[in-house]
Amino acid sequence: MIGGRWKGVVLFWLLTGKLRFGELRRRVPNCSERMLTLQLRELEEDGLVSRTVYAEVPPRVEYELTTFGRSLEPILLGMREWGERYKRRLT
């Protein structure tokens, strides 16, 4: 469910709360818009992320973790901690 290059990163940023698509795009700059859209759709299909569309002009779309998605918080934080230790090891 969280395999792939960008899903973990997207889930990590959504730990902070609701984010609009543009905000996610800025926080994951190396991910193309198309790939981010695909990853968000898959996360939504898996029940990890919820998508809210507001009837405004221009349309506003917000993403947030579901309760099921929030259950990944200790895993995501552990992965971040491991990554930071690994990065320090390389320097």
Side-chain angles (χ1 to χ4, degrees), residues 50-91:
S50 68
R51 177 178 185 259
T52 306
V53 180
Y54 296 91
E56 299 175 351
V57 177
R60 178 170 51 122
V61 179
E62 290 182 340
Y63 295 90
E64 67 180 318
L65 292 177
T66 62
T67 304
F68 182 49
R70 191 147 297 279
S71 70
L72 289 168
E73 184 171 4
I75 296 165
L76 295 168
L77 294 177
M79 288 173 63
R80 182 188 71 176
E81 183 181 317
W82 181 87
E84 289 172 353
R85 282 195 314 259
Y86 179 73
K87 192 164 98 174
R88 284 194 301 267
R89 181 176 166 222
L90 293 177
T91 57

Side-chain angles (χ1 to χ4, degrees), residues 13-60:
W13 284 115
L14 288 174
L15 287 174
T16 61
K18 292 179 185 180
L19 290 174
R20 294 175 70 172
F21 182 83
E23 293 169 319
L24 276 170
R25 181 85 172 89
R26 282 188 293 279
R27 292 180 189 208
V28 190
N30 295 328
C31 182
S32 71
E33 190 171 318
R34 181 178 183 279
M35 182 55 69
L36 181 58
T37 299
L38 291 173
Q39 300 286 278
L40 285 165
R41 282 183 187 158
E42 289 178 16
L43 289 168
E44 186 180 8
E45 287 173 15
D46 292 336
L48 298 172
V49 170
S50 68
R51 177 178 185 259
T52 306
V53 180
Y54 296 91
E56 299 175 351
V57 177
R60 178 170 51 122

